[in-house]
Amino acid sequence: MKRTFFLLIVTIISVSVFAQKQVALHSNGTTSIFASQTAFIDAYTAAQNGDTIYLPGGVFDAPGYIEKQLTILGAGYNPDSTQATYQTKINGNFSFTENAAGSFIQGIYFIGTVSVSSNHPFSNSTIQRCYFNSQFNVDGGTNYTQNLTLVENVFMSTCIFRNVNNSLFSNNIFLDNIRYTNSIEISNCIFLRGPYSYTDYGVIRDGNGTTVKDCIFIKPSGQMFSGCSNFTLDYCLFAFSPSIPASFITNSNYESVDISTLFINQTDYTFDFTQDYHLVDPVSYPGTTGYPIGIYFGLFPFKDGGIPMNPHIITKSVDSSTDTDGNLNVNFQVGAQQN
């Protein structure tokens, strides 16, 4: 997928070549740097509610639980857009608790399962431009996570949202199914789930009070929506003509679309960073607002680079030796996305 950068600047600075591997904690107007093997854990331990943690490229162990309201910004998940910094990866499984409500997470590749602890609502939080290599799981208990915003993410495995309601999932790519969507709006998403040889539970399972609009489903046959009720479909696109209850449909949907010619570059039912999910003929598929359906329109147009909003290093070069004053010249090309 191609990269788009804005506010391009070039700067030459004299810094340690290893500075990019350091974790920065911004707290009460001061900055602390952590550079050990447990840098993220150390920064988290020192953080207070409302602080910001900046994670550079690299692989970091996380605390078992995130129990503070934080902003956590990585360098991005797309290898093409992080050649100078490397991807920011969080290793292992961890959970958010209710004390982390109101957090903002952006630009991270999660290797293990990310979950919300049972009966610990992770409300009023946003996760944006992240890559989930394993499950995202909000399951168990009776205290619901509300106002959870998941936008511009890639989910490679099943997502379980049993204890989520009144939330927004927009402009995401889902490779597998999602379960238990209660009072959720799902808009401008792409579902890449393909044919399965085992029991087919559909793409969205056990959805109650869910609105799905301007989404694309490339599954070629079989079950689409299993165990769903009080369910609304609005201007969605399907690779075949699924059997959908009339009560689900409020406006026309696009059915039996040839998926092989729909996207600029997409192969089979897999996700790949090199693929291009722009529509070949977007004006042929207007959505609820009149703009085209899919991930590049709607509330949070998808950013192919998957980088965060803060300034991002595009390229770098480092002199092989210091000058006569002992300085090491480092040339950085930096850009930032405005939104």
Side-chain angles (χ1 to χ4, degrees):
M1 292 183 277
K2 63 183 181 180
R3 293 170 290 169
T4 303
F5 297 96
F6 302 93
L7 304 178
L8 185 64
I9 62 173
V10 178
T11 183
I12 300 177
I13 55 177
S14 296
V15 295
S16 166
V17 68
F18 300 107
Q20 65 171 347
K21 296 304 179 185
Q22 297 175 340
V23 173
L25 168 65
H26 287 203
S27 179
N28 295 320
T30 63
T31 301
S32 302
I33 302 297
F34 301 85
S36 70
Q37 293 294 322
T38 58
F40 179 29
I41 296 174
D42 296 340
Y44 168 77
T45 301
Q48 304 296 318
N49 286 331
D51 289 353
T52 299
I53 296 176
Y54 293 94
L55 297 174
V59 181
F60 299 91
D61 291 332
Y65 294 91
I66 302 294
E67 301 181 280
K68 302 171 185 178
Q69 184 265 308
L70 299 171
T71 294
I72 304 175
L73 300 177
Y77 65 78
N78 189 325
D80 182 53
S81 299
T82 56
Q83 294 182 27
T85 62
Y86 304 108
Q87 299 156 292
T88 297
K89 293 187 175 184
I90 301 299
N91 191 32
N93 305 329
F94 71 94
S95 298
F96 294 101
T97 73
E98 63 184 333
N99 292 327
S103 290
F104 180 83
I105 317 293
Q106 192 179 66
I108 296 175
Y109 184 123
F110 295 103
I111 297 174
T113 296
V114 178
S115 61
V116 175
S117 299
S118 178
N119 273 325
H120 285 260
F122 184 50
S123 298
N124 304 309
S125 298
T126 297
I127 301 178
Q128 184 177 28
R129 298 178 197 164
C130 290
Y131 181 98
F132 293 81
N133 194 56
S134 190
Q135 278 195 356
F136 186 81
N137 190 339
V138 190
D139 194 13
T142 56
N143 293 325
Y144 279 77
T145 291
Q146 300 190 57
N147 299 319
L148 175 65
T149 303
L150 302 178
V151 294
E152 299 178 72
N153 301 296
V154 178
F155 296 92
M156 297 296 290
S157 186
T158 298
C159 296
I160 300 175
F161 300 115
R162 189 192 303 268
N163 277 67
V164 179
N165 63 20
N166 300 320
S167 295
L168 173 67
F169 305 161
S170 184
N171 301 84
N172 300 295
I173 297 175
F174 293 96
L175 196 67
D176 210 326
N177 63 6
I178 61 177
R179 301 179 59 186
Y180 307 110
T181 56
N182 301 295
S183 300
I184 305 294
E185 179 181 311
I186 303 171
S187 59
N188 294 93
C189 294
I190 296 177
F191 291 84
L192 296 177
R193 180 179 170 93
Y196 278 71
S197 58
Y198 53 84
T199 303
D200 187 356
Y201 291 111
V203 179
I204 299 177
R205 180 181 177 187
D206 300 315
N208 181 32
T210 298
T211 297
V212 183
K213 62 182 184 179
D214 302 343
C215 291
I216 297 173
F217 299 85
I218 74 167
K219 190 169 181 283
S221 62
Q223 182 77 260
M224 292 299 300
F225 309 107
S226 173
C228 296
S229 61
N230 193 20
F231 196 84
T232 300
L233 287 170
D234 211 356
Y235 289 103
C236 290
L237 183 149
F238 299 92
F240 71 112
S241 294
S243 177
I244 300 174
S247 61
F248 286 7
I249 301 173
T250 57
N251 285 295
S252 299
N253 293 296
Y254 306 100
E255 298 183 356
S256 298
V257 176
D258 184 357
I259 299 299
S260 67
T261 61
L262 181 67
F263 300 109
I264 296 292
N265 174 30
Q266 196 275 329
T267 304
D268 202 25
Y269 307 97
T270 60
F271 171 82
D272 191 283
F273 292 109
T274 64
Q275 295 181 160
D276 188 337
Y277 298 94
H278 286 86
L279 301 181
V280 172
D281 186 18
V283 297
S284 294
Y285 303 103
T288 54
T289 62
Y291 290 99
I293 65 174
I295 58 175
Y296 297 104
F297 296 91
L299 294 173
F300 299 91
F302 193 85
K303 306 299 184 299
D304 289 328
I307 62 173
M309 291 181 287
N310 56 308
H312 181 77
I313 299 172
I314 304 170
T315 62
K316 67 180 180 182
S317 62
V318 183
D319 285 356
S320 59
S321 61
T322 59
D323 61 20
T324 55
D325 295 323
N327 295 317
L328 180 68
N329 288 320
V330 181
N331 184 290
F332 284 87
Q333 190 180 54
V334 180
Q337 293 178 157
Q338 291 179 313
N339 51 43

